[in-house]
Each structure stands twice: as structure tokens, then as C-alpha cells.
Amino acid sequence: YQEEIQELNEVARHRPRSTLVMGIQQENRQIRELQQENKELRTSLEEHQSALELIMSKYREQMFRLLMASKKDDPSIITKLKDQHSKV
């Protein structure tokens, strides 16, 4: 660790302080931009997940209704479907 710090200090001494400060400022801007992009991507992902959950919920509901309509004669299947639907 000490050797690495020493190497960094040697490299830093060969450049003017203003150059180092400008480099750090540029890195800070890039970090802030990346953080903002990351936040936007996270929000977008949450919105997509929410929409997908809603779509899947509607799909399961429709499939449950369809299966119940086609299996009116067999009460054991209806019971199984109700149990599965309640778990979901």
C-alpha cells in the first residue's frame, strides 16, 4: 500500500496542481453523470417490473377463468385451481 501511494505521489508531482484538480473535477462530473444514469435505469427497471407484474396478474386471472369455464364438470380440478390461484 505504501509503495503504491508513493508511486501515485511521484506521478502527481510531475504534473501541475491545476492539471490534477481539473482531472479530479472531470472525474467527479463523470461520476455524477453515471450516478444519475444509474438512478434513471433503476427507476425504469422498477416501472417495467411493475408493469410486468400487472400483466402477469391479469394473465393468470384470465387463465384461471378460462380453465374454470372449461372444467365445470370436475370439482377437484376447480379446487386445485383455486388453491393455485390463491398461492399466486
Side-chain angles (χ1 to χ4, degrees):
Y1 174 77
Q2 289 296 329
E3 290 174 7
E4 288 181 25
I5 294 293
Q6 210 168 8
E7 287 178 30
L8 288 172
N9 285 334
E10 287 175 18
V11 169
R13 286 186 191 116
H14 295 292
R15 289 192 274 165
R17 179 178 168 90
S18 61
T19 305
L20 292 173
V21 170
M22 284 179 25
I24 291 171
Q25 288 174 341
Q26 184 178 5
E27 286 178 11
N28 283 341
R29 271 192 299 267
Q30 290 172 340
I31 289 171
R32 278 191 301 259
E33 289 171 4
L34 289 171
Q35 287 173 335
Q36 180 63 30
E37 183 182 0
N38 197 14
K39 184 178 178 181
E40 292 169 5
L41 288 170
R42 199 173 289 122
T43 302
S44 179
L45 177 61
E46 289 171 2
E47 289 173 359
H48 282 83
Q49 285 176 331
S50 177
L52 186 57
E53 286 174 14
L54 177 63
I55 291 168
M56 289 306 297
S57 173
K58 296 289 184 180
Y59 171 77
R60 286 185 204 105
E61 187 178 315
Q62 290 295 328
M63 289 305 296
F64 177 73
R65 287 181 184 167
L66 180 65
L67 288 172
M68 282 191 54
S70 67
K71 303 292 181 184
K72 288 180 184 177
D73 300 332
D74 191 351
S76 65
I77 291 181
I78 293 174
T79 305
K80 287 179 187 176
L81 290 174
K82 283 182 182 178
D83 290 341
Q84 288 175 352
H85 184 69
S86 65
K87 288 179 186 175
V88 173

